[in-house]
Amino acid sequence: MRFFFVVIAFFVCALTDAQQYYDVTKFGAKKDSSAKATAAIARAVKAAAAAGGGTVYFPAGKYLTGPIHLKSNITILIDAGAELHFSDHFDDYLPMVESRYEGVDVTSFSPLFYANGVEHIAITGSGTIYGHGKKWWDFVEGYKEGQPRSKWQLEFDRLNKDILLPDDPKQMKRGFLRPPFIQFMHCKNILIQGITIRNSPFWTINPQFCDNVTVHAVTIINPGQHAPNTDGINPESCRNVHISDCHISVGDDCITIKSGKDAPGRAKARPAENYTITNCTMLSGHGGVVIGSEMSGGVKKIVISNCIFDGTDRGIRIKTTRGRGGVVEDIRVSNIVMKNIKEQAIVLDMEYAKVPEEPVSERTPRFRNIRLSNITAYTKEALYINGLKEMPVSEISLNDVVFEAERGITLKNAEDISLNNVRVNTQLGPALKADVAKRLSVINLEAKQLPADAPMIWLNDVKGARIQDCWPFTKAGLFTRITGPATEKIVVKDNLVEDAAIQIDPEVKAGEVIKR
């Protein structure tokens, strides 16, 4: 009797599990892409939602579809051997929906996967989804100002008459905004796992104003050439985001953290916070992990660890400009290997766009409390920090880092900077140049290779510096050059060099450099 009840319980559980699956082919979807499956998929989603939730299942096959809109408690399961091919007919992505484009709130084309105000949603499986982005890319790159506006641009104009525009509204006024591949708005408890994504029209995974987002073991492949703005993962104004074990090769930044642009972003005041990014590999892309430049709502409490960047233009990049406002703070980067980096391994730039200096206000951005450690980088330029005259970059530390670079470290308009156990081998210029800086600590800076005509360290208009326990290895020439009439309170001590290797230019006030 007990065995009988166990068997019955097993079959009841099996039946319950089976009832949770909604095979799209049972709702009319064709597995050979002979007809669009948009309506059939929508029926499967609706049936699952009516039952309180379930899994919309794509068995092996090739499906052609328009946008897929998710509801609460829905999992999209794309099985091994299944391919979802999204239509490249622009009309399929009408009617336009609430969206966000580069930090500005708009009504625009439906994203390929879309949800708004729902919870407990997932896209999982071992299958592949194709965005067929080329037609979208070609339209944008081929559009010329002044040519007749398309029906899609006219519809955009009609729906966006009163939107709050950024400082430079050119893109918004053009009025043809490609849809992101996956954009979830105002959602909670999101999982994207296991799938392969190819050829996105625009940003690939782009949650907005969401809480508790997990992106795990996802592969994203967008062409490195002629695929503009095809970033990999762009969580914007979200909380509690977890990105791990992903493989990304794209036509723009691999992973980007954003929180709105200029006045629209400040008005929302929704920071990006509590993000962890780990165990990812980034190949082709403008940047490995990038913060900004749309960071007007603020970015804080971000941890990036155990990643490899191989072939990106830059490794870690934090960028903004005057007019953005917002604060980037409490950032930790550790255990990173970078190879074949075409520009800077690490860049913190507050003049991403050249804007005239202005008084400090809510339009003034800030970078502070950023810690980088245990990094090895083979790159064109090691580190570039460029703050604003009215708002220097502050509280930055670099610990246990090795750079093999054409050019070394540049600091400008920066304060409270600490370099500890850093090796910089350069082919051009000094290992470290600091220009207009305050409170600089350099301890155990090493250089195995330096150009013969450059000092290892060049300080210009630096107020307060400690240069200690540094070693240029075999360099017999100039160790430190100190220049600038604003220079003061410089201590150079316990370095493996002769006093003659320290050059103090005449404009430096007497007594401001102490050699021990």
Side-chain angles (χ1 to χ4, degrees):
M1 181 65 69
R2 182 179 178 184
F3 175 76
F4 174 79
F5 282 115
V6 169
V7 171
I8 292 298
F10 173 80
F11 279 107
V12 169
C13 289
L15 181 61
T16 301
D17 287 342
Q19 289 175 337
Q20 293 176 346
Y21 278 75
Y22 298 81
D23 184 333
V24 295
T25 63
K26 306 300 184 186
F27 290 82
K30 301 296 184 183
K31 294 170 59 174
D32 59 0
S33 71
S34 59
K36 287 179 185 173
T38 314
I41 296 167
R43 287 193 293 269
V45 170
K46 183 177 180 180
T55 298
V56 175
Y57 174 60
F58 290 81
K62 188 174 180 180
Y63 303 87
L64 176 63
T65 183
I68 298 173
H69 289 202
L70 277 66
K71 300 180 184 296
S72 290
N73 305 312
I74 297 295
T75 292
I76 300 291
L77 174 56
I78 306 166
D79 210 348
E83 298 180 3
L84 269 64
H85 290 263
F86 282 85
S87 164
D88 63 2
H89 293 172
F90 301 162
D91 285 343
D92 290 342
Y93 299 89
L94 300 175
M96 294 186 172
V97 299
E98 178 190 353
S99 184
R100 205 184 197 198
Y101 192 94
E102 294 190 344
V104 179
D105 302 289
V106 295
T107 301
S108 190
F109 285 115
S110 170
L112 283 56
F113 278 102
Y114 182 69
N116 195 334
V118 306
E119 60 184 6
H120 303 298
I121 56 176
I123 304 172
T124 67
S126 300
T128 302
I129 57 179
Y130 295 83
H132 293 278
K134 187 176 187 305
K135 189 174 176 181
W136 297 95
W137 311 330
D138 289 349
F139 187 97
V140 168
E141 294 204 319
Y143 178 76
K144 305 297 183 184
E145 293 292 343
Q147 73 183 52
R149 295 180 69 73
S150 67
K151 64 180 180 180
W152 307 293
Q153 290 164 310
L154 293 173
E155 177 68 355
F156 180 89
D157 295 344
R158 185 182 72 84
L159 295 172
N160 293 279
K161 291 178 180 178
D162 299 319
I163 62 172
L164 185 58
L165 293 172
D167 291 352
D168 180 4
K170 180 178 179 180
Q171 183 76 351
M172 300 298 118
K173 288 186 175 179
R174 181 177 289 178
F176 186 87
L177 309 182
R178 292 160 288 155
F181 205 128
I182 300 172
Q183 187 178 73
F184 298 148
M185 307 274 298
H186 312 286
C187 296
K188 295 181 180 179
N189 304 323
I190 296 165
L191 172 65
I192 302 171
Q193 179 171 269
I195 57 173
T196 296
I197 306 173
R198 290 182 174 271
N199 297 337
S200 177
F202 182 59
W203 294 351
T204 306
I205 297 177
N206 181 216
Q208 300 269 2
F209 309 113
C210 293
D211 190 1
N212 193 16
V213 178
T214 298
V215 182
H216 175 248
V218 170
T219 296
I220 300 174
I221 307 293
N222 296 322
Q225 300 293 328
H226 310 298
N229 313 112
T230 54
D231 300 45
I233 304 173
N234 290 26
E236 188 166 358
S237 296
C238 294
R239 297 181 68 250
N240 306 318
V241 174
H242 322 276
I243 301 170
S244 63
D245 302 289
C246 293
H247 178 90
I248 304 171
S249 182
V250 294
D252 207 315
D253 296 324
C254 294
I255 297 176
T256 304
I257 301 168
K258 299 177 181 289
S259 64
K261 186 174 184 179
D262 301 340
R266 294 195 301 272
K268 288 286 186 181
R270 289 284 297 274
E273 58 182 327
N274 301 348
Y275 287 27
T276 59
I277 299 169
T278 189
N279 299 342
C280 294
T281 301
M282 288 75 147
L283 301 180
S284 175
H286 292 175
V289 178
V290 177
I291 297 175
S293 68
E294 300 96 315
M295 41 63 68
S296 302
V299 177
K300 56 187 179 180
K301 294 175 286 183
I302 309 294
V303 174
I304 304 161
S305 66
N306 303 327
C307 292
I308 294 174
F309 309 147
D310 190 351
T312 58
D313 293 350
R314 296 167 181 84
I316 300 294
R317 187 181 191 187
I318 306 177
K319 57 184 180 178
T320 189
T321 190
R322 292 181 176 99
R324 291 282 189 269
V327 181
V328 175
E329 62 184 351
D330 300 330
I331 313 298
R332 298 293 181 270
V333 180
S334 64
N335 298 334
I336 307 292
V337 175
M338 306 185 194
K339 196 75 178 282
N340 303 312
I341 304 301
K342 299 178 181 66
E343 298 296 336
Q344 299 93 359
I346 303 167
V347 54
L348 284 65
D349 189 3
M350 300 184 75
E351 290 188 298
Y352 176 62
K354 299 300 181 184
V355 178
E357 185 177 347
E358 59 184 60
V360 173
S361 69
E362 75 281 355
R363 291 171 45 86
T364 307
R366 292 166 171 80
F367 291 173
R368 63 192 181 203
N369 197 13
I370 299 168
R371 313 296 177 182
L372 307 107
S373 64
N374 297 302
I375 297 171
T376 299
Y378 300 82
T379 180
K380 185 174 182 179
E381 184 174 6
L383 167 66
Y384 179 72
I385 295 180
N386 180 35
L388 302 175
K389 289 182 180 180
E390 67 273 22
M391 186 57 65
V393 173
S394 66
E395 299 178 59
I396 312 297
S397 68
L398 202 64
N399 293 280
D400 300 309
V401 176
V402 176
F403 293 112
E404 295 284 346
E406 288 186 21
R407 297 191 300 273
I409 296 171
T410 300
L411 311 177
K412 184 177 180 181
N413 291 317
E415 59 187 31
D416 298 309
I417 309 297
S418 175
L419 277 63
N420 299 283
N421 301 324
V422 175
R423 178 178 291 189
V424 185
N425 295 327
T426 67
Q427 300 174 26
L428 301 170
L432 166 64
K433 182 177 181 182
D435 187 15
V436 189
K438 293 181 180 179
R439 298 180 295 278
L440 172 63
S441 175
V442 181
I443 300 177
N444 194 25
L445 176 68
E446 299 177 343
K448 184 178 180 180
Q449 175 184 316
L450 286 168
D453 60 348
M456 180 179 177
I457 299 171
W458 184 354
L459 307 181
N460 180 66
D461 286 334
V462 173
K463 297 184 177 182
R466 173 179 56 172
I467 310 299
Q468 183 175 347
D469 295 323
C470 297
W471 189 11
F473 284 21
T474 60
K475 183 174 175 63
L478 194 59
F479 167 58
T480 303
R481 183 182 178 192
I482 303 173
T483 62
T487 294
E488 62 183 31
K489 297 179 182 178
I490 309 297
V491 176
V492 184
K493 60 181 290 188
D494 298 331
N495 300 287
L496 291 177
V497 295
E498 301 294 330
D499 280 354
I502 301 171
Q503 175 182 313
I504 305 171
D505 282 21
E507 70 268 22
V508 178
K509 296 175 184 176
E512 294 295 348
V513 179
I514 299 172
K515 297 181 286 184
R516 297 176 183 170

